[in-house]
Amino acid sequence: MKIYNDNNATTPDATIAALRSFDAGKIVLICGGSDKGLDLNALEQEIKKSCKAVIILPGTGSDRLKVDAVKAQNLEEAVSKAMEVSAGGDIILFSPAFASFGSFKNEYDRNDQFLDIIGKIHD
């Protein structure tokens, strides 16, 4: 399993690009956050086509996303759930598709928290 940090993907189009860069069916996507009012249809279609599983963070954007997903209360729980459902050869992709408002100070805080969580796993 490999873990990729695409924290700067704060729009559906950015997450779509990330999903398309990996083999379909092997991706465990961690996404979600605050709504920017953008169209989610293409993202929903790409998730359904590309992802083995989706772990979704709380947020107003997450609430609008119409995909089969496991809900997580925070980023640490999301990473833990992603690890549980992934197997050898899978990709864990953190690509939020939404803003960080509400759950994090900003996108840098979200990134730092993700790196800290992953760092603890590999220690």
Side-chain angles (χ1 to χ4, degrees):
M1 154 195 22
K2 292 186 178 182
I3 301 170
Y4 291 87
N5 180 3
D6 189 28
N7 174 66
N8 290 343
T10 62
T11 64
D13 286 344
T15 296
I16 290 168
L19 290 169
R20 289 180 178 166
S21 67
F22 299 105
D23 291 336
K26 296 188 174 280
I27 303 167
V28 177
L29 176 65
I30 300 172
C31 68
S34 297
D35 192 11
K36 292 181 174 183
L38 300 173
D39 182 20
L40 301 179
N41 188 47
L43 175 61
E44 292 165 347
Q45 295 309 312
E46 192 62 39
I47 286 173
K48 291 173 185 174
K49 184 169 52 174
S50 299
C51 295
K52 170 182 178 175
V54 179
I55 315 297
I56 197 159
L57 297 165
T60 54
S62 305
D63 295 342
R64 287 186 51 227
L65 197 57
K66 307 267 188 287
V67 295
D68 186 23
V70 174
K71 292 184 179 183
Q73 295 302 309
N74 55 51
L75 189 53
E76 189 167 3
E77 183 182 352
V79 171
S80 177
K81 288 179 183 232
M83 298 290 284
E84 288 173 15
V85 299
S86 63
D90 285 346
I91 302 294
I92 294 177
L93 174 62
F94 178 46
S95 188
F98 298 97
S100 60
F101 312 128
S103 298
F104 304 92
K105 294 176 194 168
N106 53 44
E107 70 273 17
Y108 305 110
D109 177 45
R110 180 173 61 190
N111 180 70
D112 292 347
Q113 285 189 36
F114 183 75
L115 293 175
D116 287 345
I117 293 164
I118 298 304
K120 289 175 189 172
I121 292 169
H122 288 291
D123 282 346

